[in-house]
Amino acid sequence: MAILKIARMGHPVLLRQADPVADPGAPEIRRLVADMMETMEDAPGVGLAAPQVFQPLRIFVFRVPGDRTATDPTDSPIGNSVLINPELELIGDDRVLGWEGCLSIPGMRAAVPRARAVRYRGVDCDGNVVTRTVSGFHARVVQHEYDHLDGILYTMRVNDFGLFGFNEELDKAAQGAGR
Ligand code: NI
């Protein structure tokens, strides 16, 4: 396995439509998925899409740690997961703001509006079909990663740039507000 180099915002690979994977069980795809999971854990991050490692393919890996879902009873934690050739359906019209960062935009975060719940479907490297209906942080992570496959970064979803900044400054501001 290997830690992969991550493309940063500004690189064209992050702005293109990714291609479907012809054979999700192919050895090179299995290797890519394993390397993406290792890279995500190393970063550390909760999601990584193939275009972020310079592979314009419709694949992303993600995880939802239990401590991220503790505040939302409808949320569901999940260990390292992969979706290949995913389909995503947003449920309902309500959008909720939540903080997001991206390994391709290091050191920054923003409050991004996302659907509260989504239904998704994809396959893993063994050809198993994965279908889930999820909400909360799980739904947010999947929407963020799915966007990468269509060349969309979270910055393109921000509607209040007063809620976009460097982690260090936002942390300081949040501490200040708490005093
Ligand atoms: Ni990202």
Side-chain angles (χ1 to χ4, degrees):
M1 296 219 286
I3 307 289
L4 304 171
K5 184 172 161 31
I6 297 176
R8 289 186 303 171
M9 183 168 64
H11 194 289
V13 74
L14 295 173
L15 298 176
R16 58 162 285 188
Q17 186 82 14
D19 300 320
V21 177
D23 179 5
E28 63 270 24
I29 298 298
R30 287 176 186 273
R31 194 173 323 121
L32 173 62
V33 168
D35 288 347
M36 285 172 63
M37 285 186 180
E38 194 180 2
T39 303
M40 171 176 69
E41 285 183 356
D42 176 71
V46 292
L48 185 67
Q52 292 183 275
V53 293
F54 303 93
Q55 302 294 325
L57 294 169
R58 301 191 77 79
I59 303 174
F60 61 77
V61 298
F62 66 104
R63 56 184 178 153
V64 180
D67 61 350
R68 301 303 289 266
T69 66
T71 54
D72 183 348
T74 67
D75 215 335
S76 35
I78 190 169
N80 283 0
S81 304
V82 62
L83 286 179
I84 301 173
N85 298 333
E87 295 161 33
L88 180 70
E89 184 194 341
L90 310 189
I91 300 173
D93 293 328
D94 62 327
R95 298 290 178 267
V96 286
L97 277 182
W99 291 101
E100 294 183 22
C102 181
L103 296 177
S104 294
I105 312 170
M108 302 193 83
R109 68 173 182 258
V112 183
R114 298 285 186 187
R116 188 184 301 277
V118 298
R119 211 169 350 258
Y120 65 78
R121 186 178 189 280
V123 295
D124 65 18
C125 293
D126 297 318
N128 298 312
V129 175
V130 181
T131 314
R132 288 191 196 94
T133 301
V134 299
S135 60
F137 188 72
H138 191 153
R140 176 170 297 278
V141 169
V142 170
Q143 289 173 84
H144 176 118
E145 299 310 326
Y146 186 89
D147 267 354
H148 276 299
L149 308 185
D150 290 336
I152 299 168
L153 300 171
Y154 79 77
T155 49
M156 300 173 188
R157 301 275 190 199
V158 170
N159 57 15
D160 179 354
F161 284 92
L163 298 174
F164 179 37
F166 292 97
N167 290 330
E168 219 172 89
E169 301 301 336
L170 291 165
D171 289 345
K172 267 191 261 174
Q175 280 166 13
R179 264 184 226 128

